[in-house]
Structure formats: C-alpha cells, structure tokens
Amino acid sequence: MKNIRMALLDMNNNQVNQGFKNIKEISETFQQSTEEEVSIETFDVRFKNEMPEIENFDIFISSGGPGDPHREGLEWEDRFAAFLDEIFEYNQCNDRKKYVFLICHSFQLASIHWKLGTINRRKSYSFGIMPVHKTEEGEQEFLFKNLPDPFYAVDSRAFQFIEPDYSRFEELGMKIVAIEKSRPHINLERAVMAVRFSEEIFGTQFHPEANPAGMIENLKDEKNKQAMIENFGMEKYLETIDRIDDEDKITLTQAQILPRFLNRAKQNILNQTQATV
C-alpha cells in the first residue's frame, strides 16, 4: 500500500490564523477517509525558516499569511522560490508527480516569482464572502466542476493580482481560471482569483479552506469587521452574517476545491505508483 506524504506550509509568520487550522482539518479528514496511509507534516516557513525537502513528500499545501508578498531579502523567500522552481522542474522530468496547492499569500508569492503580472496593494483591505467568476478556461477546471458560476469564497487580502502578462502565461503553459466580479461602474481592473500553474500546481487568491465557524471567528477581529462594512456597507454586512452558513456558498466551496485537489492527487499518485511497479 502506498504511503501518501503531505507537507503543510504555514506562511502565517507566527500569527494566529484560522485558515491554517482549517487546512489541517481538511487534511486530517482526507487522512481519515482514505484507505491509504497518509502522513501529515507541518512546516513553519516564515517564522522558523522551515522548508520541506521535496523528495520526502507527494502533496504540498501552502497557506495564506500576512504582509507584503514582495521580496524583503529574507532567507525563507529564497528557499520558497527554489521550492517552486524545483517542483515545477521535477514534474517536467519525472513520471511520479508532486502536487501543490497555493493559497492567498502563497499564490501571490508564486505569481510574483513567475512574473505573471502586477501584484499591488489594494486601495482598501478586502474581507468578506465574495462571488468568484470562472473564466472560459475555468469552466473546464476539474476543481470547479461542482461549483456554480459565480461561486462564493472568503476573500481576505490587502494585495491583489492585476494586469496579467498573457504572453508569459502562454510561455509557461499557465491558465487564469477565475477572476473577481465585474464592476462596470468602477474603473478598476478585475483581479485574478485563481491560476492553474500546471497540471499539478494550483493556486487561489481566495480561501477555499474557510468554513462558517472560521469566518465568524475572523469577524471578531475589528479590522476584518470594519473592512467588510467599508466594502459592502452595514446592510450587506448584516446580510452576509445571516447567510454565512448557506449550503450553496462557502460551505460548498470548502467541500469541493481542496478535497477534490487531494483526491485527484491521491488517485494520480496511486496510478503512477502502479505504473512503475
């Protein structure tokens, strides 16, 4: 029986974070629900400068986190950039692939690293449950298969990815699969919300791990509450609180994206293992 080895990369820089707790819960649910033996190891990337050796793991989930995603000259940044390149190159040369999911801060780091477009500070901090729109390529995206268009996800960011360099996407074989909602009355470019970096590497600006309990916990933070009221107004804020556990919104998104990613990765790893036996 194949042992599937998972590495969870904590990018929170020693700040308490609901998202990482959710990532661990989803990973443990996957561990308990599969016949295969699944091991899970956690790495504190930014605070303790811990990075997994890629040969020791099959699946990597890298979390969101606070702060500016642009380089500040820290050692962990070099190690994370090397990790991205190593996995990208490893997958091009090996039959047994490594699978990576990049969330929010990690997604921004990867988009900057691969020079895919402009990642800049938003005019105001964004926090709330947002509609996310599939692109044409997103309509074909396996991870979005059971989600409506738009689907709903938790957004929590001070930075955004805009002005994608389409020639660079083409050169690297990457695809934009989701963007934020259209606001024709506001003269702002729509931010990129999800990218298929490769067959094995996927990333989202939003938080697919978020659940209603975590969202309510996050709203106890005054900064998040105020950001939501500023973005939507008090009426919309109250409506969001009221609909936070609607089954067709973040509950559905949480049940679909990361579990589908993990199950497909597992299936591919098992198939690749059988092929090499």
Side-chain angles (χ1 to χ4, degrees):
M1 190 182 282
K2 169 75 176 164
N3 175 23
I4 295 168
R5 302 155 304 169
M6 289 180 66
L8 307 184
L9 281 62
D10 181 351
M11 304 295 273
N12 288 292
N13 206 16
N14 208 34
Q15 294 192 20
V16 177
N17 184 270
Q18 192 63 37
F20 197 69
K21 182 170 173 272
N22 293 149
I23 290 166
K24 280 162 89 171
E25 285 166 358
I26 290 169
S27 303
E28 285 161 6
T29 299
F30 169 69
Q31 181 185 44
Q32 288 152 16
S33 65
T34 184
E35 290 174 14
E36 286 67 39
E37 200 176 305
V38 176
S39 62
I40 301 170
E41 209 171 315
T42 297
F43 295 83
D44 189 338
V45 177
R46 293 168 70 182
F47 190 67
K48 294 184 181 169
N49 195 23
E50 297 173 345
M51 280 297 296
E53 297 290 336
I54 76 156
E55 62 270 19
N56 294 339
F57 297 93
D58 307 296
I59 300 173
F60 306 80
I61 302 177
S62 191
S63 78
D68 189 331
H70 294 92
R71 291 277 195 131
E72 294 175 326
L74 302 168
E75 189 189 342
W76 74 262
E77 294 171 329
D78 292 334
R79 296 185 74 192
F80 188 75
F83 160 79
L84 292 174
D85 285 338
E86 220 179 310
I87 288 198
F88 198 79
E89 284 154 25
Y90 175 95
N91 283 338
Q92 289 177 322
C93 311
N94 289 277
D95 291 334
R96 284 175 60 172
K97 310 296 186 189
K98 308 279 183 186
Y99 295 85
V100 185
F101 201 108
L102 303 160
I103 297 170
C104 197
H105 194 82
S106 299
F107 168 81
Q108 293 168 358
L109 292 169
S111 301
I112 291 168
H113 176 67
W114 282 314
K115 301 181 172 66
L116 297 179
T118 302
I119 285 77
N120 66 3
R121 190 179 283 279
R122 284 176 50 88
K123 283 190 167 63
S124 63
Y125 183 73
S126 172
F127 184 85
I129 298 170
M130 311 288 189
V132 178
H133 293 258
K134 300 177 191 181
T135 62
E136 222 169 289
E137 278 160 329
E139 291 288 349
Q140 311 306 314
E141 173 53 55
F142 170 78
L143 299 184
F144 296 165
K145 189 169 184 281
N146 295 332
L147 296 174
D149 188 21
F151 59 92
Y152 287 81
V154 169
D155 193 35
S156 174
R157 63 194 159 110
F159 286 78
Q160 61 184 353
F161 174 2
I162 56 168
E163 297 167 350
D165 180 340
Y166 293 106
S167 61
R168 181 75 178 149
F169 269 87
E170 205 165 316
E171 179 193 337
L172 294 173
M174 298 179 177
K175 298 171 185 171
I176 296 169
V177 291
I179 51 179
E180 70 181 345
K181 68 172 182 172
S182 176
R183 291 177 295 172
H185 57 290
I186 301 175
N187 189 23
L188 290 173
E189 185 156 347
R190 296 164 82 174
V192 174
M193 295 305 276
V195 170
R196 169 61 71 185
F197 294 104
S198 74
E199 278 296 312
E200 303 81 20
I201 306 172
F202 194 84
T204 61
Q205 174 62 77
F206 59 86
H207 288 268
E209 77 280 16
N211 64 9
M215 183 72 179
I216 289 163
E217 200 54 42
N218 278 324
L219 282 170
K220 290 177 184 171
D221 182 328
E222 197 57 32
K223 181 188 81 163
N224 291 336
K225 182 180 175 180
Q226 286 311 317
M228 213 169 155
I229 291 166
E230 275 169 35
N231 282 321
F232 301 113
M234 182 56 85
E235 191 182 337
K236 189 72 177 167
Y237 165 77
L238 294 170
E239 182 193 291
T240 303
I241 298 301
D242 186 46
R243 295 167 64 179
I244 218 158
D245 51 4
D246 284 5
E247 285 182 11
D248 63 342
K249 296 201 168 51
I250 62 171
T251 301
L252 177 64
T253 301
Q254 191 204 32
Q256 286 294 319
I257 296 179
L258 272 172
R260 284 177 79 79
F261 166 79
L262 290 171
N263 283 316
R264 169 164 273 198
K266 177 189 85 168
Q267 211 42 61
N268 289 344
I269 290 161
L270 296 177
N271 293 344
Q272 290 150 12
T273 305
Q274 285 163 1
T276 54
V277 170

